[in-house]
Amino acid sequence: MRKYEVASLLPNLSVKTSHHIAPATPLFTDTASAFAHGTLIDTISGPVAVEDLIPGDHVEVQGGDPAAILWIGSTMMAPNRPDLDGALSQLVRIMPDTFGLARPMRNLLLGPGARVLQPQHGAEGAALVNIRDTMDGMSVIEVTPPSPVRLYHIATKRHAVIHADGIAVETYHPGRFNGEGLGINTRSLFLSMFPHITGFADFGSLAYPRKLGEDDLHAA
């Protein structure tokens, strides 16, 4: 099991914080494991460290108008701590200029729940790719932090791509998974972490396609 912290924007524009104990399975860990502490997110006020964001802040959105943050999830990832699915809590480090000039602008640490927007060879447009699938052993590498690191994810009203240290990263969305096959208790626990929605359909559609197979959750 893992502890998750949630901050949500309520209809009256106040912010509600809550704590949850939930399984360390992809369904849950993906909600809070995209951005490492210290990551700079582009907002209408300039770059802001992810840990300093609050629901109600407006982030810059690729190809669209700025969007308000409705939800922020976070969790503490301990190095070399096996999760229930057997994966280790490891991060991905991207060296400066790996994906182009100032992309990223500096060393960037992303968590296993991060998906980045990448052009697709032999196809039109771009798709969201899990950051681990971009590792090349040189400029994008897996690292084990020497001490626990807090990770975050962000949700807006509609799925979007925002910029983290110059890298295009998606906001949180469970993908095509609609909760089918989940037990009543697991489904209720998951939805309780998102006060601004009542069901999986409320997440809406994906802003960009995801690379085949990357959003197939095995959360039962």
Side-chain angles (χ1 to χ4, degrees), residues 1-203:
M1 303 294 281
R2 187 183 290 278
K3 295 181 181 179
Y4 301 85
E5 296 184 8
V6 166
S8 304
L9 186 67
L10 300 181
N12 64 3
L13 302 184
S14 65
V15 176
K16 175 185 177 181
T17 58
S18 58
H19 296 78
H20 306 261
I21 303 296
T25 57
L27 175 65
F28 290 94
T29 59
D30 280 358
T31 67
S33 61
F35 307 107
H37 183 95
T39 301
L40 296 178
I41 305 296
D42 283 358
T43 76
I44 59 174
S45 300
V48 175
V50 65
E51 65 270 19
D52 293 330
L53 293 172
I54 59 174
D57 288 344
H58 283 70
V59 291
E60 298 286 357
V61 171
Q62 180 157 317
D65 296 329
I69 297 173
L70 296 186
W71 181 95
I72 300 173
S74 69
T75 190
M76 190 68 74
M77 301 289 271
N80 289 324
R81 173 183 173 181
D83 287 333
L84 294 184
D85 62 359
L88 295 178
S89 297
Q90 294 178 314
L91 306 181
V92 175
R93 173 176 290 164
I94 310 172
M95 307 302 181
D97 303 329
T98 294
F99 298 121
L101 183 63
R103 298 178 51 218
M105 297 178 288
R106 56 179 187 154
N107 281 333
L108 173 62
L109 284 177
L110 294 178
R115 290 183 177 88
V116 297
L117 189 65
Q118 295 280 285
Q120 297 300 290
H121 299 295
E124 295 184 1
L128 294 161
V129 180
N130 188 284
I131 189 59
R132 296 182 62 82
D133 292 336
T134 71
M135 292 191 301
D136 59 10
M138 296 180 296
S139 298
V140 186
I141 61 174
E142 185 177 71
V143 295
T144 300
S147 59
V149 175
R150 182 160 289 278
L151 300 181
Y152 300 81
H153 217 331
I154 295 167
T156 51
K157 183 176 181 180
R158 294 181 178 85
H159 184 237
V161 167
I162 60 178
H163 290 92
D165 282 300
I167 295 293
V169 185
E170 71 167 349
T171 57
Y172 176 73
H173 193 290
R176 293 192 299 268
F177 185 67
N178 61 8
E180 184 178 353
L182 289 181
I184 294 176
N185 291 338
T186 301
R187 182 186 181 91
S188 296
L189 177 59
F190 178 80
L191 293 177
S192 73
M193 297 172 65
F194 298 90
H196 63 290
I197 67 170
T198 58
F200 281 86
D202 294 337
F203 284 105

